[in-house]
Amino acid sequence: GAVVSQHPSWVICKSGTSVKIECRSLDFQATTMFWYRQFPKQSLMLMATSNEGSKATYEQGVEKDKFLINHASLTLSTLTVTSAHPEDSSFYICSALHGGAETQYFGPGTRLLVL
Amino acid sequence: GDSVTQMEGPVTLSEEAFLTINCTYTATGYPSLFWYVQYPGEGLQLLLKATKADDKGSNKGFEATYRKETTSFHLEKGSVQVSDSAVYFCALSASQGGSEKLVFGKGMKLTVNP
C-alpha cells in the first residue's frame, strides 16, 4: 500500500529556534499534501494544504509566516515552525493525496516539544 | 462550518464483545464520510468510507452506514479482537474520495482485553 513517512518522529527544541519537519510519499507521487495539528485529546485540525510547485493554502487562524510550508517535489513537503514557542508544542501529522485512489495517506506524525 | 461529533471514550472491551462507536456530522451539501484507525505508533489508516446516503462501508469486520436522515455514520463490529485496540476517528470530506480537506472528530481510544 501507499506509504508516507515523516521525519523526525519527535523533536525537542529551545524556544526561539526553528524546526523543520519532512513529509515524504515513498511509493507514489503526491501533488497535494496536507498538514494537520493534533492537541492532546483533541481532533486533528487542518493547518494548510500544500500543492507542489505553488504556495500553500492556509486555514483561517494559521499564521503562514509562523508555519512555512514548502512542497518542492512530488514526493516531499516540509513544514518549518519558525521561532518556536512552547505553545507550538504539539503533534504534527501530514497526509499525501494519492490521486489515483483519491485517498489521503497519513504519516506517523511528529511530536514537537518546545522548551 | 462542517463538523463531526463522535464518542470520545476511552472504551475498554473484552475480546469478542460487540462494538459501536457513534458518529454524527453537520455539513452543507453531501459530504463523503470516513472512519480512520490509528494503531499505536502508526499513522492514520483509512478503515472504510461511504460517499452517498445509504451506502455501507465495510472492512476487516467493521461496518458503517451513511444515514442522511439522522446525519450519522456509526461504526460497528460484531466481535472485537485484541488487535482492534487503536484510536478510531470519524471524518468527513466535501469531496467524493477525500481529495479535499478532512474534518475529523476527536477520536476514540479502544482497548480490547483478552
Side-chain angles (χ1 to χ4, degrees), chain B residues 33-63:
Chain B
L33 303 173
F34 306 81
W35 276 101
Y36 281 83
V37 58
Q38 185 175 30
Y39 298 103
E42 299 182 16
L44 276 74
Q45 301 175 24
L46 178 64
L47 180 59
L48 54 84
K49 69 179 183 182
T51 58
K52 62 182 186 297
D54 299 325
D55 267 3
K56 177 186 285 188
S58 61
N59 185 25
K60 299 182 180 179
F62 291 89
E63 292 184 341

Side-chain angles (χ1 to χ4, degrees), chain B residues 20-86:
Chain B
T20 299
I21 306 176
N22 290 337
C23 172
T24 57
Y25 68 90
T26 302
T28 55
Y30 303 96
S32 294
L33 303 173
F34 306 81
W35 276 101
Y36 281 83
V37 58
Q38 185 175 30
Y39 298 103
E42 299 182 16
L44 276 74
Q45 301 175 24
L46 178 64
L47 180 59
L48 54 84
K49 69 179 183 182
T51 58
K52 62 182 186 297
D54 299 325
D55 267 3
K56 177 186 285 188
S58 61
N59 185 25
K60 299 182 180 179
F62 291 89
E63 292 184 341
T65 301
Y66 189 143
R67 300 289 188 197
K68 186 171 181 291
E69 63 275 13
T70 54
T71 61
S72 65
F73 193 54
H74 305 321
L75 183 68
E76 296 183 338
K77 186 173 185 179
S79 176
V80 294
Q81 305 299 312
V82 173
S83 57
D84 294 326
S85 297

Side-chain angles (χ1 to χ4, degrees), chain A residues 1-13:
Chain A
V3 179
V4 176
S5 69
Q6 280 185 244
H7 179 79
S9 56
W10 60 271
V11 57
I12 301 174
C13 69

Side-chain angles (χ1 to χ4, degrees), chain A residues 2 35 47 58 62 67 69-70 72 86 90 104:
Chain A
W35 286 97
M47 298 174 66
Y58 290 82
V62 178
F67 299 99
I69 291 173
N70 183 278
S90 193
Q104 291 186 38

Side-chain angles (χ1 to χ4, degrees), chain A residues 42-94:
Chain A
Q42 300 268 346
S43 178
L44 281 77
M45 300 297 295
L46 180 67
M47 298 174 66
T49 301
S50 169
N51 295 296
E52 188 267 338
S54 63
K55 291 183 178 180
T57 303
Y58 290 82
E59 294 298 299
Q60 190 173 9
V62 178
E63 300 175 58
K64 61 180 181 181
D65 295 329
K66 173 77 170 174
F67 299 99
L68 300 179
I69 291 173
N70 183 278
H71 193 160
S73 79
L74 289 172
T75 59
L76 173 65
S77 175
T78 60
L79 168 68
T80 301
V81 183
T82 62
S83 187
H85 289 93
E87 59 265 29
D88 299 324
S89 299
S90 193
F91 193 54
Y92 294 88
I93 302 172
C94 74

